[in-house]
Amino acid sequence: MLATQATLTTNVALFFPHITHPIILYQHRKGCMKYALLTTGLLTASLASSNLQATLMEVQFTGLVTSVNNLAGQLWSADAFAGREIKGRYLLDTAAAGEGHEETSFYWWWDIDNKAGALTTDFQIAGQSFQLTGDYDYDAAVEGWRTNEFLAIEHGIGDDGTPVADHLYLKDNETREELQGDISNFYRKTFEISVSDSLNNFLSGLTLDQSFQWKDTDPLDNQTNGDGQFKYYQSRTRFNGDEGLPVNETLFDSTIKFRLTDVNSKPAGTPADIPEPSSFALLLLGMSGFLFRRRKLK
């Protein structure tokens, strides 16, 4: 299996902080107070977990592959991928993109190239799974960053007083280099989407922590557009010592382009089949009431 393929992980793990100070439940009438303290501790942990996850957004996308190009190496078959569905998501850490700024009152952007990135990406095409992570953002070998992510939003009123078409652009990047003796193997994956709509305001502002839903119901209507591409590049460099200059060889240089049909964003970490923190808190409070009543009956 190629280095670009990985198993999709579609569920965001839910976790609660460990209780470092154990609560002892005494076998007498004060036990009900201890149960209340335990419930309060779990409630606090639940709310803390909610705050930890509050900066994560999940941007889901669906589309259709429009073209496959292999400039070097036969990585993907155009016959196998063209016209097939692409479906996946970005996990977006808005805190990691917090240094972005408004260029104008209607344009926000951030180029992340000197710190850990804000995006991780996973998607599927024709039964094949792909993933971009932030594991290689920092390259210890060169003591530098290889992040190269770009995020941009347009929304609001332009300088001429007319509405600006809502626009969202997200580019994720994964670059790494492996040394094997006198050979350097270089890998780069780039995934980007661009969504715009001059008919509907699907965005509510110039912030990444917003929920929205965008659809392209008419692919022939140029006022609503969504597209993207996935690029994979791999090269090998041989170092021949004093015999001559390094020999560079491009193994793969391939691009999959696609048209988007649906993009939506929502807070991550709260799947529909898991109670929201408020519901979970109510459940804990109900359990504490039941335990209190049970202690009284004894």
Side-chain angles (χ1 to χ4, degrees):
M1 185 173 290
L2 292 170
T4 53
Q5 300 178 18
T7 303
L8 274 176
T9 304
T10 57
N11 294 324
V12 178
L14 295 173
F15 66 94
F16 296 96
H18 293 291
I19 300 175
T20 57
H21 301 285
I23 299 174
I24 301 174
L25 304 180
Y26 293 100
Q27 299 294 324
H28 52 70
R29 286 179 297 177
K30 292 184 179 180
C32 59
M33 180 61 70
K34 297 301 180 178
Y35 280 115
L37 290 174
L38 175 60
T39 301
T40 303
L42 289 174
L43 174 58
T44 302
S46 173
L47 295 176
S49 174
S50 175
N51 291 334
L52 286 172
Q53 297 169 350
T55 60
L56 279 179
M57 300 296 292
E58 183 176 25
V59 182
Q60 299 176 332
F61 50 84
T62 305
L64 297 173
V65 175
T66 55
S67 66
V68 178
N69 298 311
N70 294 292
L71 298 180
Q74 183 66 31
L75 185 59
W76 300 304
S77 167
D79 294 336
F81 276 28
R84 301 295 294 272
E85 182 184 64
I86 176 172
K87 187 173 184 178
R89 67 170 186 174
Y90 288 104
L91 270 183
L92 169 61
D93 186 342
T94 59
E99 297 181 31
H101 61 279
E102 294 183 15
E103 185 74 21
T104 66
S105 61
F106 56 87
Y107 179 63
W108 177 98
W109 67 277
W110 181 231
D111 184 5
I112 305 177
D113 200 30
N114 60 351
K115 57 182 291 187
L119 296 170
T120 59
T121 311
D122 57 64
F123 59 97
Q124 284 186 317
I125 307 175
Q128 295 191 36
S129 299
F130 306 86
Q131 187 177 56
L132 284 74
T133 74
D135 295 345
Y136 308 100
D137 285 349
Y138 183 78
D139 189 342
V142 297
E143 298 183 348
W145 295 90
R146 296 182 183 267
T147 312
N148 194 23
E149 294 181 1
F150 194 87
L151 310 93
I153 299 175
E154 289 183 84
H155 171 84
I157 304 299
D159 295 334
D160 59 357
T162 61
V164 173
D166 280 7
H167 178 238
L168 174 70
Y169 176 78
L170 300 174
K171 186 188 79 169
D172 193 6
N173 180 73
E174 178 184 306
T175 302
R176 63 189 175 96
E177 189 171 6
E178 296 178 349
L179 297 176
Q180 297 177 339
D182 62 348
I183 298 177
S184 172
N185 296 300
F186 179 82
Y187 309 86
R188 182 174 62 240
K189 292 181 281 186
T190 305
F191 189 92
E192 56 190 314
I193 65 171
S194 177
V195 182
S196 63
D197 197 326
S198 59
L199 296 178
N200 307 294
N201 293 325
F202 69 96
L203 299 175
S204 60
L206 297 178
T207 61
L208 295 172
D209 57 344
Q210 60 178 296
S211 298
F212 66 81
Q213 186 167 6
W214 173 91
K215 281 184 176 293
D216 186 2
T217 56
D218 185 0
L220 300 179
D221 185 357
N222 292 329
Q223 292 178 301
T224 303
N225 291 303
D227 53 37
Q229 63 179 9
F230 173 49
K231 301 186 69 173
Y232 180 79
Y233 178 86
Q234 181 179 339
S235 65
R236 179 170 56 203
T237 301
R238 295 179 179 274
F239 298 93
N240 297 324
D242 297 334
E243 297 179 6
L245 296 175
V247 178
N248 299 308
E249 179 184 9
T250 299
L251 302 179
F252 297 104
D253 187 359
S254 302
T255 302
I256 297 174
K257 294 185 177 182
F258 51 89
R259 176 177 64 84
L260 291 167
T261 56
D262 183 89
V263 179
N264 66 81
S265 177
K266 63 180 182 180
T270 54
D273 57 341
I274 301 294
E276 296 286 344
S278 57
S279 301
F280 186 63
L282 291 175
L283 175 62
L284 289 174
L285 291 175
M287 289 175 62
S288 67
F290 170 79
L291 292 172
F292 173 75
R293 178 177 176 83
R294 185 175 181 184
R295 300 294 295 185
K296 287 188 66 176
L297 291 176
K298 286 184 176 181

